[in-house]
Every structure is written in structure tokens, then in C-alpha cells.
Amino acid sequence: MFRLIRNVVLSVLAVIWLVPVYLLIVNALTPVSEYHGEPRWIPGGFAIVENIVAAWNQSSLGLGMFNSLLYATCSALIAVLAAGLAGFAVVVMPVRRPTVWFWLIYLGTLLPLQIFLAPLFKAFVGAKMYDTSIGMILIYAAICVPFAFFIVRNYLTTIPPEIAEAAKLDGAGWGRLFAQIHLPLIRSSLFAAFIFQFTWVWNDLLFGITLTTSPDRRPVMAALAEINGGFVNVGPPVVLAAALLASLPTVVLFLSCQRFFVSSLRASA
């Protein structure tokens, strides 16, 4: 009985999640001339290529996707490496008060991001990093560290401490212990953290419109917001086609790394 109820609930949740995706795809396929202001439930044509081309030509969507790819890849890699080192220090190394260090780092995920905007804006302008690629990578990396640390640290707690003790008896230092023993063991958690942080950076709009102004620095979501702001001129199907294109990289990344993602979450739980 419990299994039946669980399957019904999961099926209902899946349908609720899939309906907006279905509407997005159907209306992105619809030619602009066939769209009359109401969402379509049945495709009115197959104009996805024309709609994507229109969005690409009338905005900086392509440049925004390149910028987001740069920001998401670099910042997620930096955050994952920092999280791995921090998790190793808190769990494996004999630091004092590891619980305090855990909450001190993890606290970054509990604060609303809006409180950082004003001081960040002033700091970026003062440091001449406003509207620069390096500035965006650094702020994204800093924000991504706490949650990545949470994932990696939880995974590290599942590794038997006897492994580290045996390696230290063989003369391994902390650097070798991390690079040659623990780093390969936590690979799946690093992949999972990378997927989470890559997706978050790719989908971010708040910092994209706050810390950048020029089209050659703005991420894809800021470019998509620009298209959405002018949808009267291009038509809703063009906006939806652009949104569909912008979502593809994260979907491809998740599907390609799904095995590492699932195994890491199971071990961390």
C-alpha cells in the first residue's frame, strides 16, 4: 500500500514538473505568425530553428552563452577544489573544533544573496573589477564554495579513518594523503558538487545584471532577460526558443555525469 501511494505521488509530481516543460517546447516550436497570445497545447508548426535564429540575431545570446560557460566552468572548478581542500582539512586533518569550522564555512549558504549586492558593488567598483570576467569568476567561485564544501565534507565522513592512518604509517604527508588517496576516493562527490555549482552559476541572473553592464561580459540569463524585456518586438515563441537553447548545456552536463551524481548523493546521505 505504501509503495502504491509513493508511486502515485511521484507520478503526480512528475506530471506537474513536465507540464511547463511541455508547454515550453510546444510554444517554442510555434511560428511567431501562428501565436495569438494564448499558450498552445498542440504545436502550430515547426519553427524552432527560425525562432532560435531570430533570438540569436536580435540579442547577445551567443556571447552570453560563451560568458556563462566561462564563468560556470572556471568558478565551479575553483570552488570544488577549495571545497575538497577544506573538507579534507576539517574531516581528516587534526584541526581544533572541526564543527565550528564546518558551520563557519557552511554559513555562506544560509544567508540571502541580496545582502551581498551593495557591498559587492562598491568593492568591485573600488577594485576596478566591475564588469570584468575575472570579477565574475571570483564572486561566483566564492559563493559556490559553501555548498560544494557541504557535499564533499559529508562524503569524506564516509571514508574509514583507518585509510589515512595506514598511509601516515607508511610515511605519507598531508599533501600526498590528499592528492593520491583521498582525491581519487571523493571523485564522485567532486563531480556532484561541480554539477550543482555549474548549474547554479549558469542559471544566475542576480549577479549577472548587478555586476556587469556590457554585452561582452553579461552571462546568458542576463541576455535572456534582455530578450524577454523586448518580447513584444520578437514574439513569445522567440523568447521561449531562446530559453530552451539556454537550458541545453545544463541538461547535457547532468545526463553525461548522472552516474557520478547519483552515487555521490547516495554516499553523502
Side-chain angles (χ1 to χ4, degrees):
M1 185 63 181
F2 174 76
R3 179 175 297 180
L4 177 62
I5 296 175
R6 182 192 62 183
N7 293 338
V8 170
V9 172
L10 292 177
S11 299
V12 172
L13 292 177
V15 171
I16 293 175
W17 183 85
L18 287 174
V19 166
V21 177
Y22 172 79
L23 288 174
L24 169 66
I25 296 174
V26 168
N27 288 273
L29 293 171
T30 303
V32 176
S33 59
E34 298 293 329
Y35 191 88
H36 303 298
E38 295 293 332
R40 299 183 65 99
W41 290 87
I42 301 176
F46 191 82
I48 183 68
V49 176
E50 292 82 352
N51 293 337
I52 290 177
V53 170
W56 194 279
N57 293 335
Q58 298 185 34
S59 69
S60 56
L61 184 63
L63 192 56
M65 293 185 70
F66 173 79
N67 291 334
S68 286
L69 181 63
L70 175 65
Y71 301 156
T73 303
C74 294
S75 60
L77 286 174
I78 295 172
V80 166
L81 178 60
L85 291 170
F88 178 80
V90 171
V91 176
V92 182
M93 297 180 69
V95 297
R96 298 180 60 185
R97 299 182 177 89
T99 304
V100 174
W101 283 107
F102 166 75
W103 283 109
L104 185 64
I105 299 174
Y106 184 64
L107 185 65
T109 63
L110 306 179
L111 300 175
L113 296 178
Q114 288 79 1
I115 68 175
F116 300 121
L117 291 181
L120 271 176
F121 180 83
K122 295 179 181 178
F124 269 49
V125 172
K128 297 182 180 180
M129 296 178 64
Y130 181 77
D131 199 30
T132 63
S133 297
I134 186 64
M136 295 299 292
I137 292 174
L138 290 178
I139 185 57
Y140 280 139
I143 293 176
C144 287
V145 166
F147 190 71
F149 165 76
F150 175 77
I151 295 176
V152 177
R153 179 260 182 190
N154 286 353
Y155 194 90
L156 276 166
T157 57
T158 65
I159 298 176
E162 291 79 9
I163 296 178
E165 294 173 1
K168 286 188 291 184
L169 289 176
D170 290 338
W174 293 118
R176 182 180 176 187
L177 191 63
F178 174 76
Q180 297 185 8
I181 298 177
H182 283 78
L183 190 60
L185 291 175
I186 63 173
R187 182 179 59 176
S188 59
S189 68
L190 296 177
F191 271 108
F194 179 85
I195 294 171
F196 269 120
Q197 304 316 127
F198 182 98
T199 303
W200 183 86
V201 174
W202 185 274
N203 292 329
D204 173 69
L205 175 63
L206 182 63
F207 292 102
I209 62 177
T210 304
L211 301 179
T212 61
T213 55
S214 57
D216 58 341
R217 295 290 183 270
R218 283 204 154 183
V220 64
M221 290 303 156
L224 193 60
E226 182 181 353
I227 301 174
N228 189 38
F231 78 93
V232 175
N233 299 323
V234 299
V238 174
V239 178
L240 295 176
L244 186 61
L245 178 64
S247 65
L248 286 180
T250 54
V251 174
V252 172
L253 176 65
F254 176 79
L255 292 178
S256 61
C257 300
Q258 184 178 9
R259 178 169 61 89
F260 298 102
F261 182 78
V262 174
S263 63
S264 174
L265 290 186
R266 285 177 178 174
S268 298

